[in-house]
Amino acid sequence: MKVLIVGSGGREHAIAWSVSRSPKVDKIYCAPGNAGIAEYAQCVNIGAMEFEKLADFAQENQVDLTIIGMDDPLVGGVVDEFESRGLRVFGPRKNAAILEGSKAFSKDLMKKYHIPTAAYENFDDPEKALAYLRTEAKFPIVLKADGLALGKGVLICQNLQEAEDGVKEIMEDKKFGNAGNTMVIEEFMTGREVSVLSFVDGKTIKTMTSAQDHKRAKDGDQGLNTGGMGTFSPSPFYTKEVDEFCQKYVYQPTVDAMAAEGREFKGIIFFGLMLTKDGPKVLEYNARFGDPEAQVVLPRMKNDIVEVMEACIDGTLDQIDLQFEDNAAVCVVLASDGYPVKYEKEIPMYGFENFKGKDGYYCFHAGTKFKDGQIVTNGGRVVGITATGSNLKEARKNAYAATEWITFANKYMRHDIGKAIDEA
Ligand code: AMP
Ligand code: GLY
């Protein structure tokens, strides 16, 4: 098979690595890819939002399967473009990717189908949002831009002043662009967060092993929200009881709700959960693998990813026995100092050869490129260093040891990824 992967981050590197292990696959393309993905795939210089060019490329090169890694093209309808040309593609159509593309949609869906989530109101008029905040709100409170905002459109406001500033930022100044035309105001919840990714074929859902992300930039969960600074898998807080609850009240009900709405969902659903004292509740849905969740979940997956994705497309996921290794993995992101605000790029990187031939150690590239034959930094999150171990502590020790193998001048990382393990 020839497979095309769309995207250029650490998640797509993990997907490319996983696809490269499939005995069914003999050629991988990635658009646009990065310097690490280039090890398994021929990188093609087409942007993830250039749907027609992507589909033209798939047609011209007789690609058998295209995998969409990123949210923007899914929400924009790239799958519809591929399907209209009879091309096989993994991911939800536009009418289903709205599960991630609109937080107001997903909240209304959960309410209608009784899926546990935080109490909320949707607003498309800033005056009404302000009136609500001044009269009915309890603080802290959460403001969310409706649309995609690189994981940054969520503001946790401690008091009315912060919330008023937040409404201005999201709805009036349009800090997150059109994503802020509508806003969700949501009850603040407390508890452990856990990410559960799943494969879905329209009717059947098979969940993957759990993971936990670290969204803040600095140690101790301080600093700004980022795309994710590191992950571990499995989450020791995701117990059998939590899983049973979510299988019954969250996962299958979400798939059934989408089908009932005429928005059959095929692809990945990422459930962002909060384990509150009143039980698990949905924080958010994503319509794709998490980044960097994929970097700890995929190295633990036993199945041939291509076989599972084809089963999702064909509606035969019920016949797949999804299995994960009985081990653990930790991923530590090496970022450019200053991320997520301002940082330098094109800094030479060294040490990639240290990963050669080392089983259980991975360097997934997120923001890298080649410049004059040398690998240089090309983003805020630069690489994700993943290591496995027989348990979480060992995996963490291994991952932090391997973070030393890669060097670049403005290297920055958190030193407490997986610290929660000690409290489990
Ligand atoms: P989201 O993009 O919806 O996952 O939000 C990003 C982050 O904001 C989450 O991972 C949580 O840490 C936090 N967050 C979102 N919604 C809430 C909420 N209702 N209560 C508390 N924290 C929240
Ligand atoms: N790591 C969180 C996300 O991919 O949305």
Side-chain angles (χ1 to χ4, degrees):
M1 281 175 76
K2 291 183 184 175
V3 174
L4 167 65
I5 299 166
V6 176
S8 60
R11 165 183 49 211
E12 286 76 25
H13 191 172
I15 294 171
W17 169 80
S18 201
V19 168
S20 76
R21 292 160 51 90
S22 170
K24 294 179 145 189
V25 174
D26 38 39
K27 175 84 187 170
I28 308 176
Y29 299 100
C30 189
N34 64 36
I37 294 172
E39 196 181 319
Y40 317 100
Q42 182 181 331
C43 293
V44 186
N45 192 15
I46 305 175
M49 296 306 285
E50 298 181 286
F51 301 169
E52 287 189 15
K53 282 193 190 165
L54 289 169
D56 289 345
F57 179 87
Q59 264 172 339
E60 282 156 21
N61 293 279
Q62 281 134 29
V63 166
D64 300 291
L65 172 66
T66 298
I67 301 167
I68 312 298
M70 299 167 70
D71 40 28
D72 284 288
L74 288 169
V75 170
V78 68
V79 167
D80 306 62
E81 175 67 32
F82 273 68
E83 285 187 347
S84 74
R85 302 198 198 185
L87 292 164
R88 263 165 94 74
V89 55
F90 178 79
R93 294 181 189 137
K94 184 174 180 167
N95 77 346
I98 190 174
L99 190 62
E100 169 165 7
S102 166
K103 290 189 193 281
F105 169 86
S106 73
K107 295 297 291 189
D108 288 346
L109 186 87
M110 287 186 267
K111 188 193 249 175
K112 181 168 173 191
Y113 292 91
H114 310 291
I115 296 164
T117 189
Y120 75 102
E121 296 282 341
N122 296 335
F123 295 91
D124 48 23
D125 175 352
E127 286 310 318
K128 289 194 176 136
L130 288 168
Y132 173 85
L133 288 166
R134 285 171 190 145
T135 52
E136 292 179 58
K138 277 200 272 178
F139 296 91
I141 201 155
V142 185
L143 310 188
K144 298 186 173 182
D146 175 55
L148 296 179
L150 296 168
K152 289 163 196 155
V154 174
L155 304 177
I156 295 172
C157 304
Q158 299 300 330
N159 51 49
L160 181 60
Q161 182 61 54
E162 281 183 29
E164 287 178 346
D165 295 346
V167 173
K168 184 165 181 301
E169 228 173 83
I170 293 175
M171 299 192 87
E172 289 170 352
D173 302 346
K174 294 274 159 78
K175 186 169 171 198
F176 308 106
N178 288 337
N181 289 349
T182 298
M183 194 181 72
V184 180
I185 300 186
E186 188 174 278
E187 166 203 10
F188 177 77
M189 303 188 285
T190 52
R192 292 259 172 217
E193 283 184 46
V194 48
S195 305
V196 175
L197 316 186
S198 64
F199 290 100
V200 183
D201 75 352
K203 27 183 214 302
T204 300
I205 177 163
K206 295 264 164 111
T207 49
M208 298 179 226
T209 180
S210 62
Q212 185 180 319
D213 192 8
H214 299 66
K215 290 209 166 106
R216 301 295 199 92
K218 303 216 161 117
D219 282 13
D221 291 328
Q222 302 296 309
L224 294 172
N225 258 324
T226 69
M229 294 299 292
T231 37
F232 58 83
S233 170
S235 162
F237 308 102
Y238 189 76
T239 59
K240 195 160 164 283
E241 290 70 36
V242 173
D243 183 60
E244 279 168 7
F245 179 93
C246 293
Q247 297 288 351
K248 192 164 167 199
Y249 296 107
V250 176
Y251 306 147
Q252 191 68 50
T254 299
V255 174
D256 295 345
M258 290 299 280
E261 294 291 313
R263 298 174 182 274
E264 180 187 63
F265 194 107
K266 290 186 175 200
I268 303 287
I269 300 181
F270 166 139
F271 298 87
L273 303 170
M274 188 170 272
L275 310 181
T276 75
K277 65 173 181 3
D278 304 321
K281 293 190 183 176
V282 177
L283 275 170
E284 62 159 348
Y285 292 116
N286 295 313
R288 36 103 191 145
F289 278 100
D291 188 346
E293 282 85 348
Q295 292 91 311
V296 285
V297 168
L298 291 179
R300 299 185 55 226
M301 190 167 94
K302 290 187 185 173
N303 302 67
D304 176 343
I305 192 172
V306 173
E307 216 169 85
V308 182
M309 288 180 165
E310 292 209 285
C312 290
I313 296 170
D314 296 333
T316 55
L317 189 60
D318 57 335
Q319 288 161 38
I320 297 279
D321 180 17
L322 199 60
Q323 290 196 352
F324 289 81
E325 305 281 351
D326 183 20
N327 63 358
V330 169
C331 173
V332 180
V333 170
L334 306 186
S336 304
D337 195 17
Y339 172 71
V341 183
K342 197 168 169 249
Y343 46 84
E344 270 183 73
K345 289 198 218 176
E346 303 207 342
I347 298 194
M349 303 178 65
Y350 306 96
F352 296 103
E353 67 286 355
N354 292 319
F355 287 82
K356 282 268 168 336
K358 296 239 180 51
D359 259 7
Y361 291 88
Y362 310 82
C363 176
F364 292 121
H365 293 227
T368 64
K369 66 173 184 182
F370 284 105
K371 192 184 174 195
D372 308 327
Q374 156 85 44
I375 298 182
V376 298
T377 65
N378 188 37
R381 293 192 291 178
V382 179
V383 293
I385 305 296
T386 296
T388 55
S390 59
N391 57 43
L392 284 163
K393 283 193 177 163
E394 192 182 296
R396 178 174 57 183
K397 200 170 119 242
N398 293 344
Y400 271 106
T403 60
E404 302 295 324
W405 303 349
I406 296 286
T407 54
F408 52 99
N410 61 342
K411 174 173 150 184
Y412 171 81
M413 66 179 151
R414 274 182 64 161
H415 288 88
D416 63 347
I417 301 302
K419 190 157 181 284
I421 299 162
D422 300 330
E423 295 151 32

